[in-house]
Structures are given as C-alpha cells and as structure tokens.
Amino acid sequence: MSGERDLTALLRHMKPELRPGTFVFCTIAAGETIPADLHPLMTFRELEGTTLVIRREEAEAAGLRHAFASRLITLSVHSALDAVGFLAAITTRLAEAGISVNAVSAFHHDHLFVPINRADEAMALLREMSEAKHP
C-alpha cells in the first residue's frame, strides 16, 4: 500500500483534523525504561535521551518536566514516506504566519504539533491551502 506522492494531490486532499487533548514533549535519560503507566503517542531515541510525546496530564501525573504544550493536527491524506515538498509547503506557510510546528511523519500520515494558542489559526491556514487552486 503506497501513499500519495503528487504534491498537488497531497495539498488538495490533506484533510487536517485537530485531535483532542494537549500534548507535551518530555525526555528521559538514555537507556532508562519508559514507565509502564505512560502511554506515549511517540518515542524517539537520541544520544542525549529518549523523547516522549505524551498528553500533558500524563506528564504532570508522572512528575515529568515538559515543554511545548501543543495540539495535534493530523493530515489525513495517506502520504508516501518519500513524497517531496509536502511538509515543506505546509511548514513554510505556517512559518509565514509565525506559527511554530513540530512535524512528524508516520507510515500513513503526517502529523503537526502546533502551539495550543495557535491551533485554530493553523487549522484555518491548512484548510485554506487545501481549498486553494493548485497548478
């Protein structure tokens, strides 16, 4: 099952969906086991430690320091992992509006973590991009 590669089709069919909840980024020491009571949406191992993206209430309940309180926007089009320019077009447009974004590509979709106070604005810009005429 391969995803879409055509940039015009990706932009037209991206269907941004704002997911419920507030997510935060945390880190635990390299080699440390993720506590069993945590349910990270994402983990990524770096030399400095393991990054966890989890719901804010989970981080606070576990006493984990966290950063970047964000909302999650899923771009529902099935994008190919080797698609060219899709995230570049999106992140460029959000940057032009002064909206920071942490983008994550998963197997089926791309996901955007944006500041909680800018989520509605980001959604409006993404819908605008989706509805625009593309060459």
Side-chain angles (χ1 to χ4, degrees):
M1 171 195 289
S2 63
E4 181 63 61
R5 287 182 181 81
D6 180 72
L7 180 58
T8 300
L10 286 165
L11 291 169
R12 184 178 304 122
H13 302 293
M14 68 174 144
K15 294 184 284 185
E17 295 177 6
L18 185 62
R19 301 295 184 183
T22 298
F23 293 87
V24 295
F25 288 68
C26 305
T27 187
I28 59 174
E32 185 177 327
T33 303
I34 297 170
D37 58 338
L38 292 182
H39 303 92
L41 180 65
M42 183 187 88
T43 62
F44 196 91
R45 298 186 195 288
E46 299 179 282
L47 292 176
E48 300 85 355
T50 300
T51 296
L52 308 173
V53 178
I54 60 178
R55 291 190 179 272
R56 180 169 53 192
E57 55 271 15
E58 276 191 80
E60 290 173 350
L64 292 173
R65 290 183 313 143
H66 55 80
F68 195 62
S70 56
R71 294 292 306 273
L72 171 59
I73 299 171
T74 295
L75 305 176
S76 297
V77 64
H78 181 184
S79 55
L81 289 168
D82 61 351
V84 175
F86 183 44
L87 284 178
I90 289 165
T91 58
T92 296
R93 181 64 190 102
L94 294 176
E96 288 168 350
I99 300 173
S100 62
V101 61
N102 284 283
V104 176
S105 295
F107 192 86
H108 295 284
H109 307 290
D110 294 290
H111 308 273
L112 311 172
F113 293 93
V114 298
I116 56 175
N117 63 333
R118 305 291 301 272
D120 291 336
E121 184 181 355
M123 284 293 293
L125 290 170
L126 293 168
R127 286 186 192 113
E128 181 182 290
M129 287 180 75
S130 180
E131 294 165 0
K133 298 281 186 208
H134 300 284

